[in-house]
Amino acid sequence: MKVFANKFILALVLVVILPLAVLSAAFGQTIPLEEEGFSITPERIDFGVIRDMESVTRSLEIAGSSNVEWKIKWLPPWLTMDIQSGAADDSLQRIYVKADPHSLSYGSHTSEIIVASSTYSRKIPVYITMLQGDESVPHKVLEKIILSPPTVSAQVGTKILLRAEGLYSDGSRKDITKEIQWISDNKRVGYFVDKGLLAGKSTGNIQIFAKDGRIASASMNIHINPAGGPLLKVRMPKVKLDHMEKGATETFTINLRNAGKGELEWEAISETPWLLIGADSNYEGAGHRRLESAALSRLTGSGEKDIRIKVDVTGLSEGRYDGSIAVHSNGGDEEIGIPVNIISLESIRITPISTRMNVNERILFGATGIWSDGSRVDLSTGSEGRWVLSDRDRGYFLRRRPVFVASSSGQIEIKMVRGDISSNVAVIDIEDNQGGPVLMISPRELDLGTIGPGEGAKGILSLKNVGTAELLWSLYDMEGWNTGAENETENKTFLSGMAGRSGSRLYVSVESVAGDQSAQTGLFTVRVDIQTGNDSMHYDKLMSAGTYQEELKVYFNGEKRSAFLNFTIAEKNLRSCLDIEPLGIDFGIVDPDERLLKRIQLKNLGEKVLRWGAVLQGKMKTFRGMILEKGRYVSFSDDKKPSEDNRYNIPEHLGSTIRTSGEWTSNKGYPCGTGEDAILRYTFSGSGIALLLWKDVYGGSADVFVDDKIVGQIDCASEEGRKRIEFLAAENLDEDTPHTLTVAVRNGTVELEGARLYTSELMEGKRGWIAISPERGTTTNEVDFITVSVSPEKLSAGSYSENIIFYSEEGVEVVEVSLDVTGDNISEFIDIYRKIKGADIWLSPGDKENMEERGDSPLFKLFRRGTPGTTELFQWHSTSKASHFYSIDPSGGKRSLKGYVLDGSIGSIATLKLAGTRELYRWFNPETEAYFYTTDTKGEDCPKKGFLYDGIVGYVK
């Protein structure tokens, strides 16, 4: 003990006399903010050991080269700073931090300083130890762990909430339930689902104890009785409080119910001051009472009950806080953790910032809130903000939707205001209509082949508006067909939607129902299913064997277009049947020097000899009347060997994009969610996403959300056994912001395969980068294997996708192949120079050309294609006007570009202000009709030369 004491005193002396220079060297590592050229030194501040009447000063150094603004967002009350905001520039900025900790208790203390830039924040830990006079601080050591309650019994299915209190060498006590390790000697009888929360699994006795290093509690004997009494079940809604605004309040409801026998008596307790139980609800009456104090909120009762919880963070500063609610009952215990992250809104960015549109056209606005922690949240559809228009005669927003409708020609400025925060201004030029809507349906005839009993065929119809005005379409009943039972229960009479230049899709399937009794009379029940977005219609009709052409009438703006479904109903299922597995191959992230091989298994499930062929889609748009489309196929499967408990493991290359909660097991590597607590979240970028999953006999159901908005429900039960289905979850998304797909299991088991992302960032590979062998064959009962080989060395860095089309006389199957090629040796930026030749001034990437230039250095940098948050910047030129034009819209943004020729993309530009970016401004001269581009906020004397400000093109480095 003496040796320990002497070493401790020596350590204290060294800390006290250790020169400040040595401390600075020890803790002088740099923390780079996630912005170019910005750093903070040191990474932590240690004031060491001081007396209770002393004050000590340390320093922070902030440096940078990108003029990044910063400020101190949090400072402990016992610290003061001479400067609390500034801008990082080429010089070194020193801030003095003074500790004046007279109000602190004796012993060691830890706090933090929070430094925030425009988009990110960093925490700098602060350490200090207080002494009294000449006394030394005794080393605080954990000596004993005491568990409570002292005796416990439970039944199968219940949970028991235990507590652990630590006794320390200085006589202090502390709740250490969440800090230590909990151990059960027989997990088949009872196991810990969380720290301190024990679940009974089967009857028997178990010994449990808790430990921290070498210190362990006394063992506690717990008897798990057979199920038979009350059983507490707590249902928590899907509540996210990770972006809770400073000073706000939120309310939600938890449900208590009894899943066992007998009467359930319960008590809900909150020891978190900002969590109030029973708030805003009337719980008066027998068996219920509610008590509130500054630190305690309690509600007691019996039976099933919905309990209102109020989260009130008024008065709390920004930061993360962890709260909890405990429920004790005679049917077990539950503890509900409720963490919150308090932030404040700092700015709002809306898109588009500039565009042209016609009268009566609609445009969807996006509003992104940038919060104090650097996160971004979509405020477009929120009720907190309001859209402000400079001229209400020019247009209006649809109620509760971020959709602007132009009503008269002219110019209008639009911004969003939320509290005292205003967004940037968007300028919209509205022109009179020059024409009407024109609907084009492709293909006009959809050939679905021969369909026998129990067989079906699928196809896609594309609806596109090739006119100028808004187009609304509707699809009503098919003549001579009955609406299906599913339609009657949902009271559906028609499908409808809006068709733009990008088009809408109708997914059509025709099926001859298997085992139908009418087939004995020579008639077969034929079912047509038509789906668009999240809506669908079903039609039934008794038909004899033969060839048919059925008309689909699509109405739009008082006019009509027709498409035709061609198919043959057969009396017997005698055809060959092509079966392909898998229908998707995701190579993930690969290096250019890798050699990739995968095999596809091909079977014949029919009776006739199957003659098949395979071809790569390449540049084909259709195949046998079927419209082909490419997307980035993403497989959720983990190819690694499954764990002993068959738990689903997120693939390494998807580790930052997939999050799961609840119970997820693995079936051949694919995630299977079981129970209403199973949730999977997938973060992606793209204009749309389709979810791929399987139906099965024991399938359950799930809710699907995109960006936390429900987009539909999926029934995964199928009497016909396992089959793959596709659910289009979202279209027309903003590609420049990340999105989240959430699958929340309602009941049963839901098995996911993956997703297909629709994105403009897919790259075209050179000929020969992917090959298949063999390309054709015949098969009866044997299994054929087709080898897919990929040569990434022929590809530049980026995402690639290709479709392998397998075809036979009876059908077509498509296998999607995707991969991402790394390119660490390629710079993520493109140097852009300003070129001048006579009156023509333009922007050029790469090396300088042999012509007069203004300056030897690049004007700015663009991003490489595929960089998140960016889109391509297109270039046009006009020889007659001696001018160049640039826009992120490949059509020119509805500008008058008569006489201009499209040159193509020169790189990618950010559509929101990313870290370290600046605005690229456009100026226009109405006399010469020439354009000028600059990053100078004053326009480089453009106003003196007759140029007018023409908006922001985007953001560059």
Side-chain angles (χ1 to χ4, degrees):
M1 188 69 183
K2 283 185 176 181
V3 174
F4 175 82
N6 290 336
K7 288 184 177 179
F8 178 73
I9 293 172
L10 177 60
L12 289 179
V13 172
L14 289 174
V15 172
V16 172
I17 66 173
L18 193 63
L20 178 59
V22 178
L23 282 175
S24 299
F27 303 122
Q29 298 179 9
T30 296
I31 312 174
L33 280 180
E34 294 186 29
E35 297 187 87
E36 184 180 10
F38 190 91
S39 63
I40 303 177
T41 306
E43 67 174 346
R44 70 179 197 170
I45 296 177
D46 193 340
F47 287 98
V49 182
I50 67 172
R51 309 300 173 185
D52 54 356
M53 297 304 292
E54 292 179 343
S55 60
V56 182
T57 301
R58 297 284 187 267
S59 65
L60 283 175
E61 293 180 346
I62 296 181
S65 58
S66 54
N67 200 32
V68 177
E69 294 184 355
W70 62 269
K71 59 183 175 180
I72 302 298
K73 296 297 293 183
W74 166 250
L75 194 68
W78 47 273
L79 288 182
T80 57
M81 300 182 69
D82 60 334
I83 301 174
Q84 294 201 8
S85 63
D89 51 26
D90 293 332
S91 62
L92 188 67
Q93 194 169 14
R94 178 167 294 172
I95 300 100
Y96 291 97
V97 185
K98 181 180 180 181
D100 199 12
H102 300 158
S103 61
L104 293 180
S105 60
Y106 303 123
S108 298
H109 298 271
T110 302
S111 188
E112 61 189 17
I113 299 171
I114 300 178
V115 184
S117 69
S118 58
T119 55
Y120 293 93
S121 63
R122 286 294 178 270
K123 296 179 180 179
I124 303 171
V126 181
Y127 304 90
I128 192 170
T129 300
M130 295 293 298
L131 295 182
Q132 180 179 16
D134 295 329
E135 296 177 2
S136 298
V137 176
H139 191 59
K140 185 177 179 179
V141 178
L142 178 65
E143 293 184 337
K144 190 175 183 180
I145 300 175
I146 301 176
L147 304 185
S148 62
T151 58
V152 176
S153 64
Q155 68 177 21
V156 174
T158 62
K159 297 176 184 177
I160 309 165
L161 188 58
L162 305 170
R163 296 293 183 190
E165 186 178 40
L167 275 62
Y168 292 86
S169 56
D170 62 353
S172 62
R173 292 171 175 259
K174 179 185 175 183
D175 187 337
I176 57 174
T177 303
K178 299 300 181 181
E179 303 174 12
I180 58 178
Q181 182 182 5
W182 293 82
I183 299 172
S184 165
D185 72 343
N186 191 341
K187 295 181 180 179
R188 290 177 295 180
V189 176
Y191 63 99
F192 284 96
V193 296
D194 197 0
K195 291 193 173 184
L197 191 60
L198 179 74
K201 190 174 183 180
S202 61
T203 59
N205 292 309
I206 57 172
Q207 295 284 330
I208 66 102
F209 64 95
K211 60 180 294 187
D212 184 13
R214 296 182 179 180
I215 306 300
S217 70
S219 295
M220 179 186 295
N221 182 61
I222 298 178
H223 182 70
I224 306 298
N225 299 306
L231 180 59
L232 174 68
K233 291 290 183 181
V234 179
R235 180 177 298 169
M236 177 75 176
K238 302 176 182 67
V239 178
K240 292 180 64 176
L241 301 175
D242 55 346
H243 286 86
M244 191 166 182
E245 192 166 5
K246 186 177 180 180
T249 60
E250 295 280 351
T251 56
F252 60 90
T253 300
I254 61 174
N255 174 261
L256 307 185
R257 62 186 180 90
N258 183 8
K261 301 177 180 179
E263 186 174 7
L264 178 71
E265 301 287 342
W266 51 261
E267 179 182 48
I269 301 174
S270 168
E271 296 183 355
T272 306
W274 43 269
L275 283 178
L276 303 179
I277 300 177
D280 300 331
S281 297
N282 181 12
Y283 285 94
E284 304 297 333
H288 296 87
R289 62 189 180 92
R290 180 163 64 88
L291 302 174
E292 289 184 14
S293 67
L296 180 66
S297 178
R298 174 187 288 122
L299 183 70
T300 61
S302 61
E304 181 171 345
K305 194 67 179 179
D306 289 332
I307 300 178
R308 194 79 163 173
I309 306 296
K310 181 177 181 181
V311 184
D312 187 351
V313 299
T314 304
L316 294 182
S317 58
E318 296 177 20
R320 181 178 174 84
Y321 299 82
D322 291 311
S324 64
I325 294 174
V327 182
H328 303 282
S329 77
N330 59 345
D333 303 327
E334 278 284 4
E335 186 172 41
I336 306 167
I338 306 175
V340 301
N341 186 37
I342 303 175
I343 56 178
S344 59
L345 183 65
E346 292 196 336
S347 63
I348 303 173
R349 303 297 300 177
I350 63 173
T351 55
I353 57 176
S354 175
T355 190
R356 290 181 181 273
M357 58 188 302
N358 293 322
V359 174
N360 294 325
E361 279 190 341
R362 301 182 180 191
I363 186 170
L364 178 69
F365 269 86
T368 301
I370 302 175
W371 299 85
S372 54
D373 65 346
S375 62
R376 298 167 184 256
V377 176
D378 184 11
L379 301 177
S380 306
T381 58
S383 59
E384 300 89 348
R386 57 189 178 91
W387 295 98
V388 178
L389 310 179
S390 63
D391 188 347
R392 292 188 174 274
D393 292 335
R394 298 282 178 254
Y396 59 92
F397 274 88
L398 296 180
R399 186 180 180 184
R400 297 180 179 178
R401 294 184 63 192
V403 178
F404 175 74
V405 182
S407 54
S408 65
S409 61
Q411 189 177 84
I412 186 173
E413 294 184 350
I414 299 174
K415 64 180 179 180
M416 171 176 271
V417 176
R418 187 177 186 273
D420 57 355
I421 305 296
S422 295
S423 73
N424 58 306
V425 176
V427 179
I428 309 297
D429 292 310
I430 305 171
E431 301 173 347
D432 289 326
N433 286 323
Q434 301 300 319
V438 178
L439 178 64
M440 182 179 72
I441 304 179
S442 177
R444 294 297 299 275
E445 295 189 13
L446 186 61
D447 293 320
L448 298 167
T450 302
I451 304 171
E455 297 177 343
K458 298 180 181 180
I460 300 176
L461 293 174
S462 175
L463 309 182
K464 184 176 293 188
N465 180 14
V466 296
T468 56
E470 181 182 83
L471 188 150
L472 299 173
W473 61 266
S474 301
L475 174 64
Y476 296 91
D477 294 345
M478 293 176 59
E479 186 173 346
W481 291 71
N482 299 317
T483 55
E486 296 180 34
N487 298 333
E488 295 174 3
T489 59
E490 299 172 10
N491 196 27
K492 294 179 182 176
T493 58
F494 66 94
L495 292 177
S496 63
M498 180 181 297
R501 294 189 179 276
S502 59
S504 298
R505 297 183 183 91
L506 295 181
Y507 296 87
V508 181
S509 67
V510 179
E511 176 190 8
S512 180
V513 179
D516 186 70
Q517 297 299 319
S518 301
Q520 299 175 3
T521 64
L523 296 176
F524 303 88
T525 299
V526 179
R527 179 165 299 158
V528 175
D529 179 276
I530 302 177
Q531 177 181 332
T532 179
N534 303 313
D535 210 356
S536 62
M537 284 288 290
H538 313 276
Y539 309 94
D540 292 331
K541 187 177 183 180
L542 289 175
M543 308 180 79
S544 59
T547 300
Y548 297 89
Q549 183 179 75
E550 298 295 321
E551 183 181 13
L552 287 179
K553 298 177 181 179
V554 182
Y555 297 87
F556 71 101
N557 299 65
E559 299 186 38
K560 183 192 75 172
R561 290 285 187 274
S562 293
F564 298 91
L565 308 181
N566 299 333
F567 55 88
T568 299
I569 301 300
E571 294 181 352
K572 297 181 180 181
N573 181 4
L574 298 177
R575 67 181 184 180
S576 58
C577 184
L578 184 67
D579 180 72
I580 300 291
E581 186 179 352
L583 292 175
I585 297 175
D586 182 4
F587 285 104
I589 302 173
V590 301
D591 294 326
D593 57 353
E594 289 188 57
R595 181 69 176 175
L596 308 175
L597 293 174
K598 289 281 188 179
R599 292 204 308 175
I600 297 174
Q601 179 178 281
L602 184 149
K603 294 180 181 179
N604 178 16
L605 301 183
E607 299 182 18
K608 294 175 63 177
V609 174
L610 174 69
R611 293 178 174 83
W612 60 268
V615 64
L616 298 174
Q617 177 182 337
K619 297 184 180 298
M620 287 191 296
K621 301 298 183 183
T622 61
F623 184 85
R624 293 189 174 181
M626 182 176 71
I627 297 177
L628 301 174
E629 57 182 357
K630 289 183 182 179
R632 173 57 170 98
Y633 172 77
V634 179
S635 173
F636 292 167
S637 173
D638 182 14
D639 293 333
K640 292 183 178 179
K641 183 179 180 180
S643 57
E644 293 182 0
D645 57 0
N646 204 34
R647 185 176 66 254
Y648 170 65
N649 296 307
I650 299 172
E652 290 184 6
H653 69 283
L654 297 177
S656 62
T657 59
I658 291 182
R659 291 175 294 156
T660 61
S661 60
E663 184 176 352
W664 288 90
T665 57
S666 173
N667 181 20
K668 299 181 180 179
Y670 293 107
C672 299
T674 303
E676 59 189 21
D677 295 331
I679 299 175
L680 182 143
R681 295 180 176 88
Y682 172 57
T683 303
F684 68 96
S685 295
S687 62
I689 186 169
L691 181 65
L692 307 173
L693 64 165
W694 283 280
K695 285 191 172 186
D696 211 335
V697 176
Y698 302 105
S701 62
D703 293 328
V704 181
F705 301 79
V706 173
D707 295 337
D708 296 328
K709 299 180 180 66
I710 190 165
V711 294
Q713 297 177 355
I714 303 179
D715 182 3
C716 297
S718 171
E719 297 180 357
E720 304 168 10
R722 180 180 171 86
K723 66 177 182 178
R724 186 185 196 240
I725 62 172
E726 177 181 324
F727 176 79
L728 182 62
E731 292 182 293
N732 302 319
L733 297 176
D734 182 358
E735 287 200 62
D736 301 317
T737 57
H739 305 280
T740 302
L741 171 76
T742 304
V743 180
V745 179
R746 294 168 61 91
N747 55 65
T749 299
V750 174
E751 183 177 355
L752 307 180
E753 176 187 343
R756 182 188 305 116
L757 305 181
Y758 298 103
T759 171
S760 62
E761 297 181 353
L762 284 178
M763 300 180 66
E764 292 288 340
K766 296 181 180 179
R767 184 180 180 89
W769 72 271
I770 182 172
I772 53 176
S773 177
E775 296 182 354
R776 61 185 58 85
T778 59
T779 180
T780 51
N781 298 322
E782 72 275 12
V783 177
D784 288 345
F785 292 95
I786 294 87
T787 300
V788 181
S789 59
V790 174
S791 303
E793 71 272 8
K794 299 181 180 181
L795 304 175
S796 302
S799 295
Y800 294 83
S801 181
E802 180 59 288
N803 290 333
I804 304 174
I805 304 169
F806 289 88
Y807 59 91
S808 67
E809 294 180 358
E810 305 299 340
V812 175
E813 290 283 4
V814 177
V815 176
E816 303 172 76
V817 181
S818 295
L819 71 155
D820 293 325
V821 180
T822 60
D824 297 336
N825 58 331
I826 301 177
S827 171
E828 60 179 322
F829 303 114
I830 302 172
D831 290 335
I832 300 296
Y833 294 86
R834 178 181 286 161
K835 309 298 180 181
I836 303 174
K837 189 173 184 179
D840 196 359
I841 302 174
W842 72 96
L843 307 174
S844 178
D847 298 330
K848 297 179 287 184
E849 300 173 3
N850 295 322
M851 61 181 66
E852 180 187 356
E853 296 182 9
R854 183 179 300 174
D856 296 328
S857 301
L859 184 65
F860 56 81
K861 297 176 186 291
L862 288 177
F863 298 85
R864 293 283 177 185
R865 183 179 181 183
T867 302
T870 70
T871 190
E872 289 186 274
L873 180 64
F874 296 94
Q875 172 182 286
W876 290 258
H877 80 274
S878 171
T879 305
S880 60
K881 297 179 182 180
S883 177
H884 280 67
F885 177 78
Y886 299 88
S887 173
I888 63 175
D889 191 332
S891 66
K894 298 189 178 180
R895 298 293 178 112
S896 176
L897 295 178
K898 185 177 181 180
Y900 280 82
V901 176
L902 176 63
D903 299 320
S905 170
I906 65 170
S908 290
I909 191 169
T911 53
L912 293 173
K913 191 166 186 179
L914 304 177
T917 60
R918 48 186 169 156
E919 291 84 355
L920 177 63
Y921 302 101
R922 180 193 293 124
W923 291 77
F924 176 70
N925 190 320
E927 294 185 4
T928 64
E929 297 186 350
Y931 291 93
F932 184 80
Y933 297 84
T934 178
T935 59
D936 184 2
T937 56
K938 297 182 180 179
E940 297 186 40
D941 295 330
C942 276
K944 297 179 181 179
K945 299 177 181 179
F947 283 83
L948 302 177
Y949 176 67
D950 198 33
I952 298 174
V953 182
Y955 301 89
V956 299
K957 294 289 287 187

